[in-house]
């Protein structure tokens, strides 16, 4: 069974631009979560989607948004990029929403210049 | 929100040694997981363990939910065990599966 797939693996953007990251969960998994990892702040929760609905949101500005499609694939968007948005963005899927193991993708490394 | 404290922050072992990593939570959690991030950045789920004890090969984990801590045991360590070990916890309230991660234990296993 294929794991969680994130695209692209690497991305370089300029301040002020916007970016869209994609995540395909493990087949059959219906919940998708997004996390940001930086050396200074560690791993921080962005948001979680289940059945195309955002079920939980972390403490990030409105520039960070996401969505989930009917096939459970998810995208996250960051608008008006700032230097501080440079990070590893990790997507995780789980079988159901709630208490089930999270399985992470390899991440998208975003660099903002 | 929940605070997650991991110890030790850094650990160097000789191959074959055993170790215990600890994770303390500031509040009760009903969703507790351990992860290993390898040197290439890949985050692997080791255990989903809100309570009790589980074993998987050379790794085992124990969570004492009433005392808000969890332990990860690594036996007969190998160089491939190197990386960062994270614990994460959360409370499912019907709204989602938000996990708060600890700052990790950086493990280096040497020959």
């Amino acid at each position: 069974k294929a794991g969680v797939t994130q695209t692209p693996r690497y991305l370089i953007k300029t301040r002020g631009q916007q970016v869209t990251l994609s995540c395909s969960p493990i087949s059959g998994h219906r919940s998708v979560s997004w996390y940001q990892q930086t050396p200074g702040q560690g791993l921080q929760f962005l948001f979680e989607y289940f059945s195309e609905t955002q079920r939980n949101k972390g403490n990030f500005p409105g520039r960070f948004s996401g969505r989930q499609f009917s096939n459970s694939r998810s995208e996250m968007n960051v608008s008006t990029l700032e230097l501080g948005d440079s990070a590893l963005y990790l997507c995780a899927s789980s079988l159901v929403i709630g208490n089930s193991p999270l399985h992470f993708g390899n991440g998208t490394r975003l660099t903002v210049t | 929100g929940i605070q997650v404290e991991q110890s030790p922050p850094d650990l160097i072992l000789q191959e074959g040694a055993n170790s215990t990593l600890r994770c303390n939570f500031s509040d009760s959690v009903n969703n507790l997981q351990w992860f290993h991030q390898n040197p290439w950045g890949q985050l692997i789920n080791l255990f989903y363990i809100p309570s009790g004890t589980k074993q998987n090969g050379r790794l085992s984990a124990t969570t004492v939910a009433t005392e808000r801590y969890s332990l990860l045991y690594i036996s007969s360590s190998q160089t491939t065990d190197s990386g960062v070990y994270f614990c994460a916890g959360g409370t499912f309230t019907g709204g989602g599966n938000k996990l708060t991660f600890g700052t990790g234990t950086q493990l280096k296993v040497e020959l």
Side-chain angles (χ1 to χ4, degrees), chain A residues 31-33 35 45 47-50 53-57 94 96-100 102, chain B residues 30-31 90-99:
Chain A
S31 176
V32 173
S33 305
Y35 288 80
F45 172 79
F47 24 64
E48 180 183 28
Y49 288 87
F50 182 81
T53 302
Q54 187 179 91
R55 299 304 181 105
N56 212 335
K57 190 177 189 308
S94 58
V96 295
I97 193 169
N99 297 333
S100 59
L102 289 189
Chain B
N30 58 18
N31 184 350
T91 302
F92 178 65
T93 60
N97 199 19
K98 173 184 177 180
L99 290 181

Side-chain angles (χ1 to χ4, degrees), chain A:
Chain A
K1 183 186 279 191
V4 178
T5 304
Q6 290 188 246
T7 56
R9 288 297 309 277
Y10 302 94
L11 207 49
I12 300 176
K13 290 287 188 178
T14 304
R15 274 180 301 172
Q17 290 185 314
Q18 74 167 13
V19 66
T20 299
L21 311 181
S22 180
C23 173
S24 293
I26 292 172
S27 178
H29 284 197
R30 298 176 61 194
S31 176
V32 173
S33 305
W34 289 89
Y35 288 80
Q36 181 198 64
Q37 186 175 27
T38 60
Q41 299 299 317
L43 278 152
Q44 294 186 287
F45 172 79
L46 280 157
F47 24 64
E48 180 183 28
Y49 288 87
F50 182 81
S51 293
E52 302 176 65
T53 302
Q54 187 179 91
R55 299 304 181 105
N56 212 335
K57 190 177 189 308
N59 296 323
F60 280 82
R63 301 184 296 106
F64 291 81
S65 62
R67 59 177 176 169
Q68 186 182 35
F69 302 95
S70 57
N71 61 358
S72 295
R73 191 176 69 84
S74 178
E75 289 180 348
M76 68 163 282
N77 184 277
V78 188
S79 62
T80 318
L81 284 166
E82 300 177 359
L83 295 179
D85 296 333
S86 295
L88 180 65
Y89 289 89
L90 291 160
C91 169
S93 74
S94 58
L95 191 60
V96 295
I97 193 169
N99 297 333
S100 59
L102 289 189
H103 298 278
F104 282 87
N106 289 332
T108 293
R109 173 79 59 184
L110 172 65
T111 301
V112 182
T113 63

Side-chain angles (χ1 to χ4, degrees), chain B residues 25-46:
Chain B
F25 293 88
S26 62
D27 205 346
S28 297
V29 296
N30 58 18
N31 184 350
L32 195 161
Q33 306 191 32
W34 283 94
F35 299 89
H36 173 225
Q37 190 166 39
N38 64 26
W40 296 272
Q42 190 177 13
L43 204 59
I44 304 296
N45 191 299
L46 298 175

Side-chain angles (χ1 to χ4, degrees), chain B residues 42-103:
Chain B
Q42 190 177 13
L43 204 59
I44 304 296
N45 191 299
L46 298 175
F47 294 102
Y48 167 72
I49 186 166
S51 64
T53 297
K54 289 186 176 180
Q55 181 159 6
N56 184 2
R58 297 180 295 102
L59 301 181
S60 64
T62 295
T63 295
V64 183
T66 53
E67 298 188 18
R68 303 197 301 269
Y69 74 88
S70 184
L71 303 173
L72 178 69
Y73 306 97
I74 304 174
S75 64
S76 304
S77 59
Q78 301 175 358
T79 56
T80 52
D81 295 332
S82 297
V84 184
Y85 289 80
F86 292 100
C87 65
T91 302
F92 178 65
T93 60
N97 199 19
K98 173 184 177 180
L99 290 181
T100 300
F101 279 76
T103 54

